[in-house]
Amino acid sequence: MGGTRRAHQKSRAGCIECKRRRIKCGEEKPRCHQCKKYDKSCEYAGSTLGPSTPSTRSSVQLHPDTEPLSQRTSTTPVPSISSVPSSSAHIPSSLFDAQDLSLFHHWCLTTSISIVNTRNLDHLWQTTLPKIGFRHIYVMHSLLSLSALHIAYLDPFEKHSNILNAAQHHSKALDGFRQDIDYISPENCDGLFVNAILIFLYTFITFGKLYDPAIDSKVGPRILGADWIPLMRGVGIVLQVGYEHITAGPLNSLLSIGNWMELCPDPESDPDDKHIVRIREVWNQGDNAAVYDETLELLRKCRAWIIQFEKMHVEDTSEWGHSRSWTGPFLWLFLAPQRYLELLAQRQPSALLIFAHFGATLHAIRQYWWIDGCSKSIVDVVSESLGPYWDHWMEWPKQVVER
DNA sequence: CAATACGCAACTCGACATCC
DNA sequence: GGATGTCGAGTTGCGTATTG
């Protein structure tokens, strides 16, 4: 005791173990010096820890009523699980507030089995994903955000507050994703991959039926890729590094692409194929024609993929493991050429037109609640962006989404 | 004696006030 | 409006007591 203390530089993002032990963390990644020295598992919080978030040492975070949900905005850091470590062994239960636990309960009982609603795959959403969520807190945030959106979808009276709550969790899920993607390893590639899918679902849901102009004034840019195009690149990086590990693990079934490679667009089984094919006239021989042609062929394939499941008998889909029609949009978005996504971001008319036809294609799988309303939003936003000059080419997508 | 626990000084940073 | 200062809540990690 006595004397002056040694001056020191404070870190702001030390690892969970060093914080718990109240010792200096050098923040080396993937393992800090202290954790290496004492052979501890070194985990960094999956979300940004705002300077004003309550101390992780105090256990006062079980306080659902201290801040009305309606006052929670994306710029107001929500106390509670923002600093939960990514290891289940280190999650103090007091860091979850009662509302989060309620959302988790809803995920396990209801939302998880509503995503694809197929017996063979429900287990993955209901059990495997929460397990990954215990290891990677950003995945847990994603699960909670989808759960909140699902409640908002089911109960219009609770819509506004649940959408706000979902936005909070989504923002933390994104923060964690951004942090972890710089350190892809066998330990986190499952978490990163599954989080990308969940973030994607979130994006779809929020510009579908649950779109709320009071909360989100920039739906147009979001629908046209402001959110999901950068995410697409992230998924590509995760799969480049972790593909073998993911396919060898519990998420294997999410990566299985069945007969996609052999699938051929078939005008006979798709009566609307002519509407898709005809938009080639728009870019015929012009700049980027090859990119648009390739993207359009992928879209036709995506339609063939969805249609084959519509026509399958239940016993056939069970042979497949489950109906995979819901994966169609993901496959198209993921396989679309990078150049196409750039052209879409630039709002080139041909790219927008293809995207509107993709929107119309989504209409075929609107039985999934998370896609309900997306097709109309996409077509509306594209139509507004293109203007009346393109109405002739937008006729069919507009018709489809009004059905 | 090394590892762990934790009191509390030092520090950070947002909010607000004041001045230019 | 921007720059600067002050305040105080919250966070970090030094240094020491305790434990095995």
Side-chain angles (χ1 to χ4, degrees):
Chain A
M1 293 279 185
T4 49
R5 283 181 165 214
R6 204 154 40 109
H8 58 272
Q9 183 75 43
K10 283 193 167 192
S11 69
R12 303 302 294 171
C15 77
I16 305 299
E17 182 62 20
C18 287
K19 281 183 186 175
R20 191 189 63 77
R21 297 177 61 210
R22 301 185 187 180
I23 51 172
K24 171 86 181 147
C25 181
E27 296 178 33
E28 297 89 354
K29 291 185 178 174
R31 284 182 98 194
C32 74
H33 176 72
Q34 294 288 351
C35 290
K36 252 186 201 162
K37 185 176 166 189
Y38 296 107
D39 194 29
K40 302 281 181 186
S41 80
C42 189
E43 304 274 0
Y44 288 84
S47 350
T48 51
L49 191 58
S52 296
T53 34
S55 165
T56 52
R57 285 179 210 152
S58 63
S59 52
V60 294
Q61 280 125 354
L62 194 67
H63 54 153
D65 301 327
T66 51
E67 186 182 13
L69 194 61
S70 59
Q71 287 174 18
R72 293 183 179 182
T73 67
S74 58
T75 51
T76 315
V78 176
S80 78
I81 56 180
S82 63
S83 51
V84 170
S86 5
S87 161
S88 59
H90 298 118
I91 298 177
S93 58
S94 60
L95 291 178
F96 292 95
D97 69 23
Q99 191 166 42
D100 296 332
L101 295 178
S102 160
L103 288 178
F104 186 62
H105 182 251
H106 190 265
W107 170 269
C108 294
L109 287 188
T110 312
T111 310
S112 58
I113 55 173
S114 73
I115 302 285
V116 295
N117 198 14
T118 309
R119 216 184 312 155
N120 286 345
L121 212 60
D122 283 349
H123 177 78
L124 186 135
W125 295 86
Q126 196 167 29
T127 310
T128 309
L129 264 54
K131 275 184 189 168
I132 297 174
F134 289 137
R135 281 191 285 122
H136 306 285
I137 203 62
Y138 47 83
V139 172
M140 184 59 77
H141 281 301
S142 275
L143 297 181
L144 298 182
S145 75
L146 292 192
S147 182
L149 288 181
H150 191 218
I151 294 170
Y153 181 83
L154 296 173
D155 183 358
F157 294 106
E158 297 286 327
K159 184 177 160 184
H160 192 77
S161 61
N162 275 300
I163 290 175
L164 277 172
N165 201 11
Q168 292 285 310
H169 286 297
H170 173 68
S171 150
K172 287 170 189 169
L174 274 177
D175 284 345
F177 186 79
R178 288 194 197 104
Q179 272 183 26
D180 242 22
I181 202 154
D182 290 334
Y183 307 97
I184 304 172
S185 68
E187 280 74 39
N188 68 5
C189 59
D190 273 357
L192 285 167
F193 175 63
V194 87
N195 201 42
I197 292 176
L198 297 171
I199 289 172
F200 235 99
L201 285 172
Y202 175 94
T203 308
F204 271 123
I205 298 165
T206 51
F207 63 65
K209 275 254 166 76
L210 282 183
Y211 166 57
D212 187 340
I215 297 171
D216 179 6
S217 58
K218 292 182 180 166
V219 72
R222 288 206 304 114
I223 289 180
L224 297 179
D227 285 354
W228 57 262
I229 289 179
L231 183 66
M232 224 59 247
R233 298 194 186 109
V235 177
I237 295 166
V238 174
L239 286 178
Q240 259 176 27
V241 179
Y243 182 80
E244 281 186 18
H245 185 81
I246 296 168
T247 49
L251 301 176
N252 175 41
S253 56
L254 289 179
L255 272 177
S256 161
I257 57 166
N259 66 341
W260 175 273
M261 300 310 279
E262 303 91 59
L263 205 59
C264 285
D266 176 14
E268 280 187 20
S269 53
D270 180 4
D272 287 326
D273 187 63
K274 55 182 180 290
H275 297 292
I276 304 287
V277 174
R278 123 191 141 105
I279 60 170
R280 281 198 194 119
E281 292 168 34
V282 172
W283 60 78
N284 201 13
Q285 312 288 318
D287 286 348
N288 300 305
V291 175
Y292 293 135
D293 281 343
E294 185 187 344
T295 312
L296 196 72
E297 276 311 292
L298 272 173
L299 181 58
R300 294 177 72 210
K301 209 166 175 175
C302 171
R303 294 179 60 83
W305 173 264
I306 291 170
I307 287 167
Q308 76 173 347
F309 290 106
E310 277 174 3
K311 293 189 170 171
M312 259 182 209
H313 295 295
V314 177
E315 53 269 31
D316 294 330
T317 55
S318 65
E319 202 173 293
W320 272 72
H322 51 89
S323 166
R324 291 191 178 127
S325 62
W326 67 278
T327 58
F330 291 94
L331 284 166
W332 184 75
L333 288 168
F334 184 70
L335 296 171
Q338 186 60 40
R339 178 70 186 138
Y340 168 73
L341 298 180
E342 287 166 18
L343 293 165
L344 180 64
Q346 292 167 13
R347 309 205 180 174
Q348 295 293 329
S350 301
L352 287 168
L353 211 50
I354 295 177
F355 197 58
H357 285 69
F358 166 70
T361 300
L362 291 183
H363 196 68
I365 52 168
R366 63 190 179 285
Q367 71 270 24
Y368 297 107
W369 70 270
W370 47 270
I371 219 157
D372 191 12
C374 287
S375 48
K376 185 161 169 25
S377 297
I378 290 176
V379 172
D380 286 351
V381 165
V382 169
S383 177
E384 197 187 315
S385 192
L386 284 173
Y389 177 79
W390 295 88
D391 277 355
H392 168 66
W393 297 101
M394 289 294 292
E395 230 168 68
W396 178 76
K398 280 182 174 174
Q399 257 176 33
V400 170
V401 299
E402 293 301 338
R403 277 177 201 164

